[in-house]
Amino acid sequence: MSDRIKRALFILMRLYHNQAGNTLAIVAAAMLPLAGMVGGALDISRGYLAKTRLQQACDAGALAGRKVMGSSGEISAAVTLEVQKYVNFNYPVGYLGSSPFTVTPTLGSNDQIELTISTTIPTVIMKLFSWNTMSISASCSARNDYTNIDIVLVLDVTGSMACAPSRSTSSCNSYYSSNSGKTGTTTAGKSFKFVTEELDSKKVNISRIQALRTSLTNLQAQMATIETQFNVAPENSRKRVRWAIIPFAQLVNAGLSQDSTGATLYSRKPNWFNTTGTYQSTSNSSTRQSISHDSNWISTTWDGCIEELKTSNSITLTSGHSAPNNLPSDAFDLKFDTEPSSTDTRWTVTDPSKAGNPVYACPKPMREFSKLTATQFNDYFAFNTGFAAEGRTYLDSGMLWAARLLSRTGLWKLENEATYHSFPVTRYVIFMTDGEMQTDGSVYSSYAQENYWRRTTAAGADGDSNHTARWLMTCNAIKNMDVKIFAISFSAGSSVTQDMKDCSSGNGFWYRADDASDLDDVFRDIGENIGSLRLSR
């Protein structure tokens, strides 16, 4: 082989075995698939961002339109305009190069607003591969969850409610001791006892009960907005909002409780009450005396408070009882559906003058389920109508009456239809207290002077513990009636006890409020939960 050919072969073999420069060739060959991968990721990210923004715009538009639609059941031009306004605000025209799209809401079942929006956005990198646009869409619907609404307000009006929220328990007790026992007369001419409500240096009412009045006014305004929407519908298909109000302390004023017509419970059902009662003697604490009260005494002297039905003192936190069906045979007070027909099953009129003149405080009369105007509602909570603070904290007393008013098989079953005008009735209890259970065996309570009568506690037993058992049993019974319970603990440094949490309907249904502003926020949140617009999907 000639030298020339050998040199040529040698050079070719060196080139064959030399790998220098291969990377450049490989990178060049890989550029197209790499560009596709990176470009695809970039464009997909832009598409995801656009779709998320479009979904948010869809949701906002549907909710806004449903709010404007109210109870009309029609998608008017105003409704469509509102939907379009919110969609365009949240997803501006041309966002990320989006193509124009139409916003046309439609009416779905159960008066839902339904909306589907579709558009395309241009690709940035993938257009190099002839993928010029990406399609995105969003679907949503909004419904109005308003049903008929029944709200029972179970409100602590004990003496500490006259204190400023900032006071500690000991400070409030001192204030209470110095400012209690005042007597006033309501605008209706009935007398009531109260604690002077605390004022600041500028004479502004800063008491807890005043904060409660303000928060309740705001809650009613929220519900009034819902009622305005309800009232758009024809009368025969109109939903409603009703209130029941139960102020409680050591007693509850059921005798003068008014129904929707303004008639008192005693005037409607006098046979539900014992006007002859057995009381502790004023002259001898170990002697019982039977006292009969005539119609004149009932109409001029009786304040409306009652002693509870016969009960059993064997009910404790560990007794295993539950209301209303797993109870001692003589625990008639916790058998919510019992028709008063005997001395043991009727409420007895209170008469502190025949009971040794013990510490006594009778709250304002209850209000049974009624539709109330703003004026009627706010007047109820005014001081000069008797909504005032006085008495001890018996948490079970108010909830017991809530159970009676709510039972669909009990004494108020005719007021508790499952539907009204073919729409379901959703029911709530708002339970508010500024303290924990604080019973006192020497005061005149719903079970008279418990140190003497032993109606709920055996000798030496813990009264607070037994009343807590009754309270929690009643809370559970109410929840079993398909009623939601909101529980509020109000005052600075207050804690939401486990008992309060257990009484409520669970997480999201119990609250702590340190001051007036907090309490207002709590009631506003509850109002939004009771009547709310919701996204269906």
Side-chain angles (χ1 to χ4, degrees):
M1 185 180 297
S2 67
D3 291 340
R4 183 177 298 177
I5 293 174
K6 289 180 179 180
R7 284 196 300 270
L9 289 173
F10 176 74
I11 293 171
L12 289 174
M13 290 302 295
R14 287 185 61 188
L15 287 173
Y16 175 76
H17 290 288
N18 189 351
Q19 298 180 8
N22 284 3
T23 301
L24 182 61
I26 293 171
V27 169
M31 282 300 294
L32 285 177
L34 283 173
M37 293 172 60
V38 174
L42 174 63
D43 283 325
I44 289 172
S45 296
R46 292 178 71 251
Y48 180 78
L49 178 64
K51 181 175 176 60
T52 301
R53 185 78 177 261
L54 189 65
Q55 185 64 57
Q56 292 170 345
C58 184
D59 293 344
L63 287 171
R66 188 61 189 83
K67 184 175 182 180
V68 171
M69 189 173 82
S71 299
S72 67
E74 298 179 356
I75 297 184
S76 62
V79 171
T80 298
L81 182 63
E82 190 75 358
V83 174
Q84 292 171 341
K85 182 174 70 175
Y86 272 78
V87 170
N88 291 332
F89 177 81
N90 287 277
Y91 194 96
V93 175
Y95 177 71
L96 293 182
S98 298
S99 62
F101 55 83
T102 58
V103 179
T104 307
T106 58
L107 187 64
S109 60
N110 299 319
D111 290 348
Q112 291 188 150
I113 281 186
E114 298 183 346
L115 181 62
T116 297
I117 308 171
S118 299
T119 185
T120 61
I121 62 170
T123 58
V124 175
I125 303 298
M126 295 307 293
K127 65 176 58 178
L128 299 174
F129 301 90
S130 300
W131 184 17
N132 297 320
T133 62
M134 289 188 296
S135 298
I136 59 171
S137 65
S139 295
C140 57
S141 61
R143 69 178 186 267
N144 189 325
D145 267 354
Y146 296 153
T147 60
N148 294 290
I149 298 171
D150 282 352
I151 303 172
V152 183
L153 300 171
V154 183
L155 306 173
D156 182 339
V157 291
T158 54
S160 56
M161 286 294 290
C163 298
S166 58
R167 283 190 179 271
S168 64
T169 299
S170 59
S171 175
C172 189
N173 287 343
S174 177
Y175 180 87
Y176 171 83
S177 299
S178 302
N179 294 277
S180 64
K182 309 295 191 302
T183 303
T185 304
T186 68
T187 51
K190 283 286 185 180
S191 63
F192 65 96
K193 291 181 66 178
F194 64 92
V195 184
T196 304
E197 295 178 21
E198 188 166 359
L199 308 178
D200 65 11
S201 59
K202 297 179 180 179
K203 306 301 181 185
V204 174
N205 192 334
I206 56 171
S207 66
R208 298 171 187 174
I209 200 167
Q210 182 59 31
L212 176 61
R213 293 185 185 110
T214 300
S215 296
L216 289 169
T217 295
N218 293 336
L219 176 65
Q220 191 281 330
Q222 283 180 279
M223 295 301 106
T225 300
I226 297 173
E227 287 184 289
T228 299
Q229 296 189 24
F230 286 174
N231 293 339
V232 174
E235 176 65 35
N236 62 357
S237 61
R238 187 175 298 171
K239 301 170 192 173
R240 71 185 180 195
V241 176
R242 295 193 305 172
W243 303 88
I245 309 170
I246 306 172
F248 73 89
Q250 64 212 51
L251 293 158
V252 171
N253 191 326
L256 299 184
S257 173
Q258 295 183 357
D259 66 1
S260 58
T261 70
T264 67
L265 182 58
Y266 180 81
S267 67
R268 286 176 279 134
K269 298 289 185 180
N271 59 317
W272 286 4
F273 297 85
N274 293 319
T275 55
T276 296
T278 302
Y279 307 90
Q280 179 181 319
S281 172
T282 56
S283 58
N284 186 336
S285 62
S286 63
T287 302
R288 302 181 180 188
Q289 55 181 343
S290 180
I291 304 294
S292 296
H293 301 93
D294 59 24
S295 58
N296 181 64
W297 184 90
I298 292 292
S299 62
T300 61
T301 305
W302 183 42
D303 53 21
C305 277
I306 52 90
E307 293 184 21
E308 272 297 342
L309 317 177
K310 184 178 181 180
T311 193
S312 169
N313 62 16
S314 66
I315 298 171
T316 68
L317 285 170
T318 58
S319 63
H321 293 109
S322 61
N325 299 318
N326 179 27
L327 294 165
S329 60
D330 57 349
F332 297 116
D333 59 331
L334 293 172
K335 299 177 181 180
F336 313 129
D337 296 350
T338 300
E339 178 80 21
S341 59
S342 65
T343 299
D344 288 343
T345 60
R346 295 188 184 104
W347 295 286
T348 299
V349 298
T350 56
D351 187 350
S353 70
K354 304 301 181 183
N357 292 308
V359 173
Y360 181 83
C362 181
K364 181 171 182 171
M366 298 188 320
R367 184 74 194 236
E368 297 158 49
F369 280 121
S370 307
K371 294 175 64 178
L372 298 175
T373 66
T375 299
Q376 290 171 326
F377 185 92
N378 293 325
D379 283 352
Y380 180 93
F381 296 107
F383 172 80
N384 61 6
T385 64
F387 190 77
E390 179 62 276
R392 302 296 198 276
T393 308
Y394 283 63
L395 302 179
D396 53 330
S397 60
M399 291 301 275
L400 182 54
W401 278 96
R404 288 168 177 153
L405 293 183
L406 287 162
S407 175
R408 286 191 165 134
T409 55
L411 305 179
W412 278 268
K413 59 187 176 184
L414 297 180
E415 296 296 319
N416 280 287
E417 315 101 311
T419 62
Y420 175 74
H421 286 169
S422 300
F423 292 99
V425 179
T426 307
R427 305 185 298 167
Y428 305 90
V429 169
I430 302 177
F431 176 79
M432 191 233 68
T433 179
D434 74 332
E436 300 178 16
M437 188 77 74
Q438 188 180 24
T439 63
D440 184 336
S442 65
V443 307
Y444 198 157
S445 73
S446 296
Y447 300 92
Q449 305 97 306
E450 295 190 69
N451 285 350
Y452 175 68
W453 291 99
R454 305 293 184 192
R455 291 176 180 168
T456 63
T457 57
D462 180 356
D464 287 357
S465 175
N466 282 15
H467 280 277
T468 296
R470 291 167 170 271
W471 171 44
L472 295 178
M473 286 166 55
T474 306
C475 293
N476 288 332
I478 291 173
K479 288 182 285 189
N480 288 336
M481 298 176 192
D482 195 24
V483 177
K484 299 296 185 185
I485 299 178
F486 295 95
I488 308 168
S489 180
F490 175 43
S491 71
S494 66
S495 61
V496 184
T497 64
Q498 188 60 50
D499 291 336
M500 284 284 283
K501 294 178 182 179
D502 291 342
C503 179
S504 79
S505 290
N507 290 336
F509 287 87
W510 51 264
Y511 299 84
R512 170 187 167 184
D514 281 336
D515 54 30
S517 177
D518 285 350
L519 188 66
D520 203 40
D521 290 342
V522 165
F523 272 97
R524 183 179 298 108
D525 187 69
I526 291 173
E528 291 174 354
N529 277 280
I530 287 176
S532 58
L533 240 54
R534 302 184 190 276
L535 289 169
S536 300
R537 68 173 192 272

